Amino acid sequence: MRVSAHAASGIDNSILNNLTAKTLTSSVKTNRYHQPGSLLRAAVIPLAILPAALIMPACNKESDDEPEQTTTAANINSVAVTSFSLQSDNSVMRGLDSVFFSIDSKTGIIFNADSLPKGTDIKKLKTKIQFYNSISDAEYTMTNGSHRTGTSNYRTSPNDTIDFTGDVHLTVVSLDGNHSLTYRVKVNVHQMDPDSLAWGETAVATLPSRLSSPRDQKTVSLADGALCLVEEADGTFTASTISKSSAVWDKKKTTFPSKPDIRTLCATSDAVYLLDADGNLIKSADSGNTWSVTGIKWIAITGGYDNFILGVAGGQEGIRHTHYPASSTLKESPLEPGFPLSGTAGFHTFVNRWAPLPTGILCGGEASDGTLTGATWAFDGSKWCDISETPLPPVTGATMFPYYAFRKTSTKWELTEFSVWLLIGGRLSDGSLNRKTYISYDNGIHWREASSQLTLPDFIPPVAFPDALVSTVEMTGSLSGWSRLPAPRIPVGARLKYDTDGETVTWECPYIYLFGGIKADGQLSPYVWRGALNRLTFRPIF
């Protein structure tokens, strides 16, 4: 689905129930913890839930279009600016002198395409300029500024401060005085916080149910799309699926051999499974349309591991980790004390260079004795281990998903991208619903409370047992004036695929879709919310 990065904000709510398929590739990339390889089951699904009108506008735009000037190529070197930067000023921003500025001498534009943080004070900035040849004059003209207007001669007063809150032009005159060129100089500042997780108050759809007022739901990623299993108000069930080749949910009534516990729904690479009320393992090989018994009885389902379903079984051998179907590589093992049997924040797998098999992790949940845990458990293909060093607060019914975060890791003004796990929702030990967001940079070994920028907004009610899935949406933006830049630059954080034809750029933005959840009053939230890190909606810089 291609959507404009500069779309309008109007909404047609009749469209919001449709989901358009996109890619099947994972959004989690490599950093020092996520090692090279592909995630197998990381809650990344092919969805694009909302129309173009809901895509947030890009904020790293270049300066306004300027009329092309008449200076010829033969004379341009005599007035060319070869380097432009801001002087260091820690009272304004650390690393201010490392901000990159693009220069287009043909059209006379100087600007920082990668905007400064929201709220940066740009009314008194010192500049540093280098020229291709010696010049006779370089004068700033400032108009409409909030602090200062008038002129400033850079050649005679290079440390004078310039007010960039208004319109600033720099006129350069050649050494012989016969040629001049006026540059428009723009210091761009973000109009929104790029590192906030933005959830549109109107960016919401209803769950794909056949009837109104559904009782419960569970949504999982499939190899070719997603499945949302809904318990309807009349006690019947709906299996709603979407594939990469469709644009809407396919809603079908489905029946089970016995009463299902839909919260146990889990997907492998080739099937979906759940338990019934008596613990019988039920399987569907056609995305939830038809179900059959396996003859297996379990206490709990743990998660999907490639084409195997992991679970916990009892019996004469004692309570143990097990799997289905039978495997010569996966082994059963005794259940560890404190291992959660329900309410975990999802089971996700990834590969790394040190392990021959995928590694799976889950966190939170409720143990057999009813106590809640905040630990992270990891599975290496043969055994389970509590890897927590800094666990979560004890929580059940949260949801965990892979995403991105950006941190400054050097003295320069630039951010490093990290692949992270985010956790939201759930019920705490005191019975209250969790409103905080938690983040892990190292696959659940350490968790910490995320910044308030990543907290759900007030208009989304706190819930337990929501499902969060991530989908990449293809976006487009104009490159007007950019194709002539002399030195293409790849920005920090350019981890998702992008392409350009010289006039427009297309890129993939990973959106988070939050399905359902049980509210404080015990009722199902019948909505699907969409959010994304603002930074990832901005047009790529290159």
Side-chain angles (χ1 to χ4, degrees):
M1 177 181 181
R2 178 169 296 183
V3 292
S4 169
H6 302 280
S9 59
I11 294 172
D12 179 359
N13 285 317
S14 66
I15 302 175
L16 298 184
N17 293 325
N18 296 341
L19 295 182
T20 300
K22 187 58 183 69
T23 69
L24 289 172
T25 56
S26 168
S27 289
V28 176
K29 305 294 280 189
T30 299
N31 64 17
R32 59 187 249 190
Y33 297 110
H34 288 302
Q35 296 302 321
S38 62
L39 287 180
L40 299 180
R41 310 294 310 166
V44 181
I45 63 170
L47 300 178
I49 189 171
L50 299 175
L54 298 183
I55 297 298
M56 291 171 278
C59 286
N60 56 340
K61 76 180 188 70
E62 71 276 18
S63 57
D64 298 337
D65 291 341
E66 290 290 313
E68 193 165 307
Q69 303 187 54
T70 58
T71 304
T72 65
N75 300 321
I76 200 167
N77 285 345
S78 65
V79 290
V81 172
T82 59
S83 175
F84 182 95
S85 62
L86 303 174
Q87 294 188 34
S88 177
D89 187 343
N90 288 343
S91 67
V92 174
M93 188 186 79
R94 292 187 179 276
L96 188 64
D97 56 338
S98 65
V99 176
F100 179 86
F101 279 81
S102 299
I103 303 168
D104 188 344
S105 294
K106 184 176 180 180
T107 57
I109 302 173
I110 300 173
F111 65 97
N112 59 313
D114 198 359
S115 301
L116 302 184
K118 179 183 178 182
T120 302
D121 187 354
I122 60 172
K123 65 178 178 288
K124 292 192 294 182
L125 301 180
K126 298 178 182 180
T127 63
K128 182 178 181 180
I129 309 174
Q130 293 181 355
F131 304 93
Y132 188 82
N133 283 320
S134 297
I135 60 169
S136 63
D137 203 9
E139 187 174 76
Y140 282 109
T141 301
M142 295 165 281
T143 58
N144 302 318
S146 64
H147 173 70
R148 179 184 178 188
T149 59
T151 62
S152 174
N153 193 300
Y154 178 81
R155 187 170 179 273
T156 59
S157 302
N159 291 319
D160 196 6
T161 59
I162 307 301
D163 182 1
F164 286 101
T165 61
D167 298 320
V168 177
H169 291 80
L170 173 67
T171 300
V172 181
V173 181
S174 62
L175 187 62
D176 60 13
N178 293 328
H179 307 289
S180 66
L181 178 62
T182 297
Y183 295 85
R184 166 78 184 278
V185 185
K186 179 68 174 176
V187 178
N188 287 310
V189 178
H190 280 302
Q191 299 305 302
M192 62 175 68
D193 186 344
D195 293 305
S196 285
L197 193 58
W199 300 82
E201 189 165 2
T202 53
V204 59
T206 55
L207 290 168
S209 58
R210 291 180 296 110
L211 308 175
S212 60
S213 304
R215 295 178 182 175
D216 203 357
Q217 73 85 38
K218 175 69 175 180
T219 304
V220 296
S221 172
L222 302 179
D224 189 40
L227 166 64
C228 181
L229 184 59
V230 177
E231 182 180 0
E232 303 286 1
D234 63 356
T236 61
F237 296 90
T238 300
S240 297
T241 57
I242 188 168
S243 70
K244 64 180 180 181
S245 59
S246 67
V248 296
W249 286 104
D250 181 16
K251 306 174 187 178
K252 294 181 179 179
K253 183 178 180 179
T254 188
T255 58
F256 297 89
S258 52
K259 182 173 176 56
D261 178 359
I262 68 171
R263 292 306 310 169
T264 64
L265 180 70
C266 193
T268 67
S269 60
D270 59 3
V272 292
Y273 296 84
L274 53 71
L275 298 178
D276 71 6
D278 295 320
N280 296 298
L281 182 65
I282 305 173
K283 174 183 178 180
S284 173
D286 57 4
S287 302
N289 288 329
T290 60
W291 297 85
S292 60
V293 296
T294 62
I296 302 295
K297 193 166 186 176
W298 283 357
I299 297 173
I301 287 179
T302 305
Y305 188 79
D306 196 8
N307 61 331
F308 298 96
I309 191 76
L310 305 180
V312 176
Q316 294 181 348
E317 301 89 344
I319 300 178
R320 66 195 185 281
H321 295 288
T322 188
H323 56 273
Y324 178 88
S327 169
S328 60
T329 57
L330 300 181
K331 306 298 182 182
E332 293 190 344
S333 61
L335 189 74
E336 299 81 1
F339 187 88
L341 299 181
S342 64
T344 63
F347 177 77
H348 303 277
T349 61
F350 55 90
V351 297
N352 62 60
R353 68 181 67 182
W354 299 288
L357 295 175
T359 299
I361 58 172
L362 59 78
C363 60
E366 186 173 339
S368 59
D369 62 0
T371 58
L372 304 188
T373 179
T376 300
W377 290 82
F379 179 67
D380 66 359
S382 61
K383 61 181 180 296
W384 287 90
C385 179
D386 180 352
I387 62 172
S388 303
E389 293 188 13
T390 308
L392 293 157
V395 62
T396 185
T399 185
M400 176 176 68
F401 54 93
Y403 209 61
Y404 302 98
F406 296 80
R407 292 193 299 183
K408 186 176 179 181
T409 58
S410 70
T411 57
K412 294 183 178 181
W413 183 73
E414 60 183 27
L415 298 174
T416 299
E417 178 193 275
F418 290 85
S419 297
V420 300
W421 297 96
L422 297 181
L423 180 140
I424 58 179
R427 192 178 303 278
L428 303 173
S429 296
D430 63 2
S432 64
L433 294 175
N434 170 45
R435 280 219 70 104
K436 297 178 179 178
T437 298
Y438 292 87
I439 188 169
S440 175
Y441 287 82
D442 54 7
N443 294 327
I445 297 174
H446 298 90
W447 286 95
R448 69 186 188 197
E449 184 179 338
S451 70
S452 59
Q453 298 165 305
L454 302 180
T455 302
L456 289 178
D458 291 340
F459 58 78
I460 298 181
V463 291
F465 301 99
D467 300 308
L469 306 176
V470 177
S471 168
T472 56
V473 176
E474 187 176 274
M475 303 175 70
T476 66
S478 171
L479 283 178
S480 175
W482 285 35
S483 60
R484 294 184 289 270
L485 293 183
R489 170 175 171 254
I490 303 298
V492 172
R495 76 280 153 268
L496 291 178
K497 185 172 64 177
Y498 69 90
D499 195 13
T500 177
D501 60 7
E503 298 297 329
T504 61
V505 61
T506 62
W507 74 99
E508 292 179 345
C509 175
Y511 276 89
I512 305 162
Y513 297 87
L514 186 64
F515 289 76
I518 305 301
K519 299 180 295 183
D521 61 4
Q523 300 300 306
L524 176 69
S525 173
Y527 300 115
V528 184
W529 300 91
R530 189 183 78 164
L533 200 67
N534 280 330
R535 179 185 302 279
L536 301 178
T537 69
F538 299 164
R539 181 181 50 216
I541 305 160
F542 61 96

